[in-house]
Amino acid sequence: MALEWSAVEEAEQYRVYRTTDVSNWPSTPLQSAVPTPSFIDTTAHNGTQYGYRVTAVADNAESASSSSAQARPQAVDRAVTASLRERIRAIYDAMPRRDSEAFVVPSAEKQTQWRALLDALVNNDTTAARARIDASFPSYALIRFTDTATDRRYWLLQEAPTVEFGWGTVVIDPSPVRDLAVEVPHPYYDINTYAQGIDLFLETGARAFIMAGTSRCANREPSGCDGETTVCNNSYPVSDVAHATETSFQVTHEALADTFSEMVALNLHGNGLSDCETVFLSSGVWDDTTNTVTALRDALLDRDVNAADPMSSACPLVGGTNVQGRYTNGSPAPCTQEATDANGRFIHLEQQLFFRESPAQYAALIDAVNATFAPLNTDE
């Protein structure tokens, strides 16, 4: 929030006062010793109404306060032409880390409003999407993003300029090449999946890219969803979006899966288990390997990648507790109930570190995805 006022003759400095209740001003200034008649409030929260007053100081004497000015900062919608890869990297770098308690569990009403926002966005009703952001999610900006590498235009839904809720990032291609969603639920913990994910999104022409907004271990409160882990204090926390249903990540996944009935979600993960192959693929259902899983596995094998599925491997990481997989595969209660059958629309990918951290290595995955999933327009 940028403030400017008329200079006061002989003033040595200024003091800025801020309040959210103009009938009750604080006695302590927000900022003392402001040298010029301007100030940028970097701690203001988008969507909050503030009142500001300024005083002048000379010879240690403070003047009476100015009249008050009120403002409500908002995230600015804008058109941007830049590298989408670099933007995602910047978002990742600013992501709250482990034990930050930075993930805010959305209320049922906020989840409903987020679903309405995503429904508007995937239907390219950006007027309704912007109205929903203004009304319910002022910490978010909707950006018309032109990527300099692909020269394609995307909708980028980003929490900016600061992370207030930790709900993550969504990129939508309004004219996708392939009916795919690339999902990165653990961008910090599963090293480099954020970079691999945006590369996969861009180079396959996928419909959507979804990235969580904090470390999976940002919070300590258990999600209540079933399954066991040694990663975050021995239970899945509310910030682990692959194992918590009360998240905007899950709502986004559901909105996409419900709207696009043929879309396949690629859920990217990393592991270091010695009994797991370079890439281990599964449907999210323990004993049901689908044609989409085996087709992508075979495409990886054809490209000399050591790939397997549950029918040919001892790797235990099938993703049976992954709530995106459970939802897609028809579980009536994804938090607590496994899906019994797989429908081919969800692929859980576990990958060794050397593969996901090297673009030269995971280029084979991008090529295999392009070979496995036909373009929506057969002329592509």
Side-chain angles (χ1 to χ4, degrees), residues 184-318:
V184 184
H186 303 146
Y188 181 63
Y189 190 85
D190 289 345
I191 295 171
N192 211 56
T193 51
Y194 80 93
Q196 181 193 42
I198 196 60
D199 283 349
L200 186 60
F201 169 77
L202 290 171
E203 297 182 35
T204 63
R207 183 180 295 282
F209 170 84
I210 317 171
M211 183 172 73
T214 69
S215 164
R216 66 188 297 190
C217 304
N219 291 41
R220 290 182 176 272
E221 179 186 352
S223 72
C225 296
D226 60 2
E228 298 179 355
T229 179
T230 59
V231 173
C232 305
N233 307 313
N234 298 321
S235 64
Y236 292 121
V238 292
S239 51
D240 187 342
V241 300
H243 303 282
T245 51
E246 294 183 2
T247 71
S248 61
F249 191 100
Q250 179 71 7
V251 174
T252 302
H253 172 87
E254 293 179 8
L256 289 164
D258 292 348
T259 303
F260 305 107
S261 60
E262 301 298 320
M263 187 195 77
V264 176
L266 306 175
N267 208 261
L268 303 182
H269 297 265
N271 79 90
L273 296 182
S274 59
D275 53 355
C276 292
E277 288 73 17
T278 301
V279 181
F280 177 73
L281 308 97
S282 63
S283 66
V285 176
W286 288 98
D287 56 355
D288 192 355
T289 298
T290 62
N291 291 337
T292 50
V293 168
T294 57
L296 184 54
R297 177 207 64 193
D298 290 346
L300 286 165
L301 291 171
D302 289 343
R303 289 155 179 80
D304 298 321
V305 176
N306 182 22
D309 61 33
M311 303 303 293
S312 59
S313 172
C315 181
L317 303 176
V318 175

Side-chain angles (χ1 to χ4, degrees), residues 137-201:
F137 308 105
S139 68
Y140 269 83
L142 181 60
I143 302 169
R144 185 59 158 162
F145 202 103
T146 301
D147 178 58
T148 49
T150 62
D151 198 32
R152 292 176 65 86
R153 293 182 178 180
Y154 307 97
W155 289 112
L156 169 63
L157 185 60
Q158 174 189 355
E159 193 168 19
T162 59
V163 176
E164 295 186 24
F165 299 107
W167 290 349
T169 302
V170 180
V171 185
I172 300 292
D173 187 336
S175 302
V177 176
R178 288 177 172 81
D179 206 1
L180 301 171
V182 179
E183 301 178 339
V184 184
H186 303 146
Y188 181 63
Y189 190 85
D190 289 345
I191 295 171
N192 211 56
T193 51
Y194 80 93
Q196 181 193 42
I198 196 60
D199 283 349
L200 186 60
F201 169 77

Side-chain angles (χ1 to χ4, degrees), residues 12-13 15 55-64:
E12 296 170 356
Q13 60 189 25
R15 293 174 183 169
T55 62
V57 178
D59 295 329
N60 294 321
E62 185 176 12
S63 73

